[in-house]
Amino acid sequence: MSQQADKIALYIAERKKLDLLLSDELITKVTVGLGPSIYKQDSETVSCTDSSELATVRDNFLKKKLGLTQPDEELDAAIKNVCEMMGTSNKHKYRALFYALLTKNFGKTDVYN
């Protein structure tokens, strides 16, 4: 298997473990869209305790990638909700799953078609 296929398999296994309602197809598309960032330990995960990282998720992913125009407070609430869905004590909040949950939450899966 390729490195990318290994990562996708890891994320699908984590999705099952966390009981997240995400399709394998969406996880695969988001993973591919993240490119080489999934191979770096620091950028592979999202830290829900780092406010600057969460602001980057809001500004670069939700606003730029998904094209959302909702107020920051609404976007921040969605990010906080995903942090809770993935488990506050979970240290492995994989970016691919995090972004897939946000994409699904805002009904923007067409961005990955």
Side-chain angles (χ1 to χ4, degrees):
M1 260 203 280
S2 70
Q3 275 189 311
Q4 187 179 67
D6 291 342
K7 289 292 185 179
I8 291 168
L10 170 70
Y11 301 149
I12 289 171
E14 184 74 3
R15 181 224 43 218
K16 291 175 183 174
K17 183 176 119 184
L18 296 174
D19 198 27
L20 302 173
L21 300 175
L22 294 169
S23 70
D24 292 357
E25 180 183 12
L26 181 59
I27 292 170
T28 300
K29 288 179 178 181
V30 172
T31 302
V32 170
L34 284 168
S37 68
I38 62 170
Y39 305 111
K40 297 176 187 153
Q41 186 175 1
D42 184 52
S43 60
E44 182 184 26
T45 58
V46 174
S47 172
C48 288
T49 58
D50 184 344
S51 59
S52 66
E53 181 170 6
L54 298 180
T56 300
V57 169
R58 180 190 64 223
D59 297 337
N60 292 347
F61 182 70
L62 294 179
K63 290 181 177 181
K64 289 180 183 172
K65 177 74 175 177
L66 298 186
L68 300 176
T69 57
Q70 288 89 331
D72 286 355
E73 297 78 24
E74 186 177 331
L75 299 175
D76 290 342
I79 291 169
K80 183 180 180 203
N81 184 51
V82 169
C83 287
E84 291 168 359
M85 287 175 70
M86 294 188 78
T88 52
S89 63
N90 178 8
K91 294 183 191 234
H92 298 289
K93 292 178 184 73
Y94 292 112
R95 191 170 303 275
L97 295 177
F98 201 92
Y99 284 11
L101 286 166
L102 287 168
T103 300
K104 184 179 175 192
N105 179 65
F106 285 104
K108 297 294 255 174
T109 56
D110 58 322
V111 167
Y112 288 99
N113 288 337

